Amino acid sequence: MTLLRSTLFFIAILAAAPVTPSFAQTAPQIEPFSLPVRPVVLSQDIIKRFLYSFAPVGAQMKEEAAGNTATPEATARLDKKAAEYGFKDFNDWGETTRTIMVTYHWLTNPDPREEVEKAIAAIPSTPNLSDKQKADMIDGLKTGLETVEKARPSAENMAIVKKHLSSIKPLYKQWTNL
């Protein structure tokens, strides 16, 4: 059931969320379950830098978010923190994070279609929803599934991330709970 919930949540967020990070009223953030705009071609070096950078860049993100304003200074501090770990800037770090996390999700949940089909089959018997709400949920799941299937990572990225599953797992849990 947990796998089903996480997969459905992943698909629902992808269907509803933009594919870029939110820069609205707060400092730049990396939205959980967002897809990379341009997936990064991963390497052992990139994974290593990501693993070492996740906590410090995440701490900088929280510090900037506490200020509740997106300023050039906040963005510059995030860019500087990401650059300390060999990333071009915060956006480069964000694209790498999204690439790694989506790849991790695919490796640990390799058949989203099966999970979505189970969820779709359960919707008609869901109490307290109108027929329109049920139809909207089904349409949303189908749209989300299409988005997820198009976002399947490359075999090369999957092979590299697979070598680091145990190291990425706790970071993935943090990312999904942002």
Side-chain angles (χ1 to χ4, degrees):
M1 188 63 170
T2 301
L3 175 62
L4 176 62
R5 275 196 303 256
S6 69
T7 300
L8 294 178
F9 181 68
F10 181 71
I11 289 170
I13 294 299
L14 289 177
V19 295
T20 56
S22 171
F23 293 96
Q25 295 293 333
T26 61
Q29 298 291 306
I30 302 299
E31 299 293 332
F33 294 114
S34 58
L35 294 173
V37 175
R38 284 176 289 294
V40 174
V41 176
L42 299 173
S43 66
Q44 292 296 339
D45 177 63
I46 290 172
I47 295 286
K48 179 180 157 186
R49 289 186 289 119
F50 164 76
L51 291 170
Y52 284 112
S53 71
F54 191 84
V57 174
Q60 187 71 45
M61 286 170 50
K62 286 181 182 175
E63 185 177 318
E64 301 305 338
N68 284 333
T69 59
T71 65
E73 294 82 14
T75 301
R77 287 188 293 269
L78 285 165
D79 287 344
K80 181 180 178 189
K81 184 58 73 178
E84 289 175 14
Y85 295 90
F87 296 95
K88 181 178 148 194
D89 55 22
F90 180 71
N91 284 329
D92 181 35
W93 184 87
E95 284 297 281
T96 301
T97 299
R98 286 186 289 274
T99 299
I100 291 169
M101 295 307 182
V102 168
T103 304
Y104 177 91
H105 188 85
W106 266 99
L107 287 165
T108 57
N109 301 283
D111 192 4
R113 179 166 294 283
E114 182 180 318
E115 296 298 321
V116 171
E117 288 171 359
K118 286 180 189 176
I120 288 172
I123 289 173
S125 62
T126 304
N128 303 323
L129 292 177
S130 69
D131 288 341
K132 173 149 178 31
Q133 289 171 317
K134 291 176 184 180
D136 289 346
M137 287 177 71
I138 290 169
D139 288 344
L141 286 170
K142 287 178 180 178
T143 300
L145 179 60
E146 289 175 23
T147 302
V148 168
E149 288 179 334
K150 288 177 186 173
R152 184 175 184 84
S154 69
E156 296 81 9
N157 276 1
M158 288 177 66
I160 289 182
V161 169
K162 189 173 187 177
K163 294 177 185 177
H164 300 279
L165 286 177
S166 62
S167 298
I168 295 170
K169 182 178 182 176
L171 306 181
Y172 179 83
K173 287 182 178 183
Q174 290 177 37
W175 183 66
T176 58
N177 291 318
L178 290 176

